[in-house]
Structure formats: C-alpha cells, structure tokens
Amino acid sequence: TVVLLLILAGLVLQIYVKNQYFNYLLRNTRSMEETMIETSTINIDANLKDIVNAACNVGVNETLRTLVENTEADGILLEREKMTLGSRMDDIAHQIGSAVSIAIVSDKGLWQEYGIYWYKTSVKGLWENDNLDKLQEIYEKTMALQDEKANVRYYVETNPAVNSQWPQIRMVHIAVPLIGKTYSFSHVNNVVVVSFNMGDIWEKSAFDRVADKPLSIGYIADENNRIIYHPNEEYDGMTVENYRKTLDSTENISRSLKCFGWTAYITTDLGKMRAQVNQMYTRSIYVYLFLLCICGFLWQFTIRKILKPIDIIRDSMQNIKLSKNLPKIEVKGTNEIWQLAGYYNEMSETL
C-alpha cells in the first residue's frame, strides 16, 4: 500500500511539474519571439527600403537611359550596343550587391536582361518562355502607376520566385520607370525590373536566425497573405491560414512591415512543444520508477538487517530449555536490539 501511494504521489507530482514546465517554456518562448520579431522587422524594413532605393537609382541612371534610347532609335540592338549596354548593367548590378538580375522592358517586350549568375553562360535567363508574359504584365502595371500619377511609382512582384536553373535563389522584383535625370514621367517608355535575392535580405536582417528554430518558424507573407519566404520552400505560395492547418496547434505573432504591405510572422508549434515536454516527462517517470525500485531494494535490505537480531533472539527463546548449558546468542553489534540479545545472554546465565 505504501509503495502504491508513493508511486501515485510521484505520478501526480510529475504531471504537475510537466504542466508547470510547459507553461514556463511557452512564456519564455513568447517573450523571446516578441523581442526577436520587433528587432527583425526593423532590420527587414531598413533592408527593403535599401533595395527600393537601389532600384530607383537604376531608374534615374542617365547613362543607362541614354544607351537604351540610342539603341531604340533604329529599333535594332546592334551587337556592339548590346555589349556596351550589358557592360553598364553589369557595373550597376555589382554596385547594388543583392541584385540577381536587371531587365529592361518596353511595350514591345524584353529589351535586354543581365543576370549576375547566368550572363554569357549556357544557363537560360530569368525572363524567358512563360516568364515573358509575366514580365509584360509587370511592365503594364508599372506604366499604369505612371499614368495614374500615383504617389508610389514603383511596382513590386514576387512571381516568378526563382530561376528554374537556380532554384536555391528566391527573388523579389522591383520595377521602376527608366527616366534618367529628366525626372519626367510623361515621356517614359521603358521600365527597369531589378530582381533581388531575398535570402540576402533576410540574412542581413538576421531574420534567417529567427526563421528556423526548434519550436518556432519565422516566415514572410505578401499583401495577399501568401507566404513568399519560408525556411521550408514547399510552403512558399501557400496562404498563412492553410499553412497553419498543417500544424497541430499554434501560437502566432505577427508584425506588419512598412514596405510592400508584407507581414512578418513567427509561429510556435505548440504540438511540437508539447511533444518535447511529454518526452521529458516520460524520461522523468522512468528515472523516478528506477529510483523508487532502488529505494525499495535498499529499504528491504535495511529492514532485514535491522530485524535479523530479533529473529535470532526469537529462535533462541523458542528453543530455550532449563539446563546447565543454555544456548547463548553471538552479539554482533551495539545497537538496542543487540543489547537485547546481551540481556538474553545474562538471563541465560542467571537461569
């Protein structure tokens, strides 16, 4: 009964400790995530502002505008002009740093593309085949902003997210009018689309360290609440709501970014957290039962050692017979029980 009560008390204590630890872990995780997302969103906003400024600087590059308009005069891009334009775009791309590709597009389609990783190689460019329709759509939406005289004259697009031959690089595209130093939007005919490596942006923002933790996942969603950056690429393009359905239970923290209408999220997988706590709880139960078994063994060993003299005295008293040679007990200790054995020996001598 005592053993069963000890086991029951231990299990109740373990359940209490498990729940307390889960709540402690949740509070600390939440506090850490609040701090991390506040810091990260400030850094992300700063880096997104930097790439917007970089794209706008390309749009006001007078040399680039002049080269494009000169080659447009006869409608034919000669090989020499193409090399000159490519060389200038190469200089601009390397000055920006995070740029992956620079494309110039008009109402007639792609004029020229420079890709840092695929220029003058056998690798196909980003704006080819099916992506050409998307590029034309970007051009039309950017020009529409100029016609509307919108406050924001650049256009942001996250599709296509990758070049099929460079799938490890996820991109965001910023389209700006190529106006040079004229600063007149009324005569704009060309648009520059600068594609940036989002991985570089998150790395500079330290968001990549937030994005993939044992219990928490950080990701970015666009203005339509579709995930555009997730450590696990299979979730890219999925809505935030559908993504959360793939998890058992979650706790979510979000912060709106100042640029593009994007939102940064950190989702804590409570199911994974509970599984971790349950694993620790199970191990603690095994340890508790092991220690209980050891304590039980030691208890039995100690009790038997204590009661052994009593058994000896009892056996001797049961076999006592009045005679000149009464049996005596060999005293092996000085505690109270062995003292009782000594009294028995004295009684035997008296008898």
Side-chain angles (χ1 to χ4, degrees):
T1 303
V2 174
V3 174
L4 291 176
L5 287 175
L6 286 174
I7 293 175
L8 181 62
L11 292 175
V12 171
L13 178 62
Q14 291 288 339
I15 292 173
Y16 172 77
V17 171
K18 181 186 78 168
N19 291 332
Q20 290 298 310
Y21 177 70
F22 177 81
N23 292 330
Y24 167 81
L25 185 62
L26 183 60
R27 286 195 303 271
N28 279 271
T29 301
R30 185 187 300 122
S31 175
M32 179 182 67
E33 289 172 353
E34 289 280 358
T35 302
M36 294 175 76
I37 200 170
E38 290 290 348
T39 304
S40 295
T41 50
I42 292 173
N43 294 335
I44 292 172
D45 280 327
N47 281 286
L48 292 180
K49 185 177 180 180
D50 286 343
I51 66 172
V52 170
N53 289 336
C56 291
N57 286 334
V58 178
V60 297
N61 188 292
E62 180 64 21
T63 303
L64 189 62
R65 183 193 68 82
T66 302
L67 284 170
V68 172
E69 291 188 356
N70 287 344
T71 54
E72 276 185 336
D74 56 5
I76 300 174
L77 187 61
L78 299 178
E79 190 62 31
R80 186 182 62 182
E81 296 169 334
K82 186 175 182 180
M83 290 179 61
T84 304
L85 186 57
S87 176
R88 184 55 186 158
M89 293 170 73
D90 173 67
D91 292 340
I92 294 171
H94 284 89
Q95 289 171 9
I96 293 175
S98 297
V100 177
S101 168
I102 298 176
I104 299 174
V105 58
S106 68
D107 57 349
K108 297 177 181 178
L110 177 64
W111 189 251
Q112 173 113 338
E113 177 188 0
Y114 172 80
I116 288 181
Y117 302 106
W118 52 82
Y119 184 63
K120 290 185 177 179
T121 68
S122 58
V123 179
K124 292 183 178 180
L126 174 64
W127 304 109
E128 293 192 11
N129 303 327
D130 295 340
N131 290 343
L132 283 174
D133 292 336
K134 188 64 183 180
L135 181 64
Q136 200 63 30
E137 179 186 332
I138 293 173
Y139 169 81
E140 291 171 359
K141 289 184 177 180
T142 306
M143 293 302 294
L145 293 174
Q146 317 317 310
D147 295 337
E148 296 167 3
K149 298 182 180 179
N151 292 329
V152 176
R153 297 297 182 104
Y154 63 85
Y155 177 75
V156 180
E157 180 60 62
T158 55
N159 186 33
V162 298
N163 183 331
S164 59
Q165 298 190 51
W166 291 83
Q168 71 275 21
I169 301 176
R170 283 178 279 183
M171 294 175 279
V172 56
H173 316 287
I174 300 180
V176 296
L178 182 58
I179 61 175
K181 292 190 178 298
T182 61
Y183 300 103
S184 173
F185 294 97
S186 58
H187 301 293
V188 170
N189 296 315
N190 301 293
V191 168
V192 179
V193 180
V194 186
S195 304
F196 294 91
N197 185 345
M198 283 202 291
D200 285 350
I201 298 170
W202 311 140
E203 184 177 355
K204 292 176 183 177
S205 307
F207 190 72
D208 60 328
R209 281 174 278 176
V210 181
D212 195 5
K213 297 295 181 183
L215 299 176
S216 302
I217 299 293
Y219 51 95
I220 305 293
D222 63 13
E223 69 279 7
N224 298 317
N225 221 26
R226 290 190 176 275
I227 297 174
I228 57 174
Y229 176 82
H230 192 285
N232 189 341
E233 295 178 10
E234 67 176 286
Y235 296 116
D236 287 353
M238 184 181 294
T239 64
V240 173
E241 291 75 15
N242 289 337
Y243 166 66
R244 289 175 183 171
K245 291 177 182 178
T246 65
L247 306 174
D248 292 336
S249 58
T250 61
E251 182 176 81
N252 304 282
I253 299 174
S254 64
R255 293 292 185 275
S256 297
L257 299 176
K258 295 179 180 178
C259 296
F260 313 157
W262 292 0
T263 305
Y265 291 91
I266 295 182
T267 292
T268 302
D269 190 339
L270 298 182
K272 188 183 292 185
M273 183 181 289
R274 287 194 182 94
Q276 187 181 79
V277 173
N278 287 336
Q279 185 180 38
M280 295 180 62
Y281 169 71
T282 302
R283 290 176 180 174
S284 67
I285 289 294
Y286 290 152
V287 172
Y288 172 73
L289 292 176
F290 175 73
L291 294 176
L292 192 62
C293 290
I294 292 177
C295 291
F297 172 78
L298 293 175
W299 180 75
Q300 287 289 335
F301 176 78
T302 304
I303 290 298
R304 288 184 180 182
K305 186 175 182 180
I306 292 173
L307 296 180
K308 184 177 180 180
I310 296 178
D311 293 337
I312 295 173
I313 295 171
R314 182 195 63 201
D315 294 340
S316 298
M317 294 185 70
Q318 287 177 347
N319 297 325
I320 191 170
K321 291 181 180 180
L322 190 59
S323 66
K324 291 183 179 180
N325 297 311
L326 292 175
K328 293 185 179 181
I329 300 173
E330 181 183 357
V331 178
K332 299 180 180 180
T334 59
N335 58 37
E336 289 82 356
I337 296 178
W338 285 116
Q339 288 176 12
L340 180 61
Y343 296 148
Y344 169 81
N345 290 339
E346 291 176 3
M347 181 188 70
S348 298
E349 291 179 359
T350 302
L351 292 175

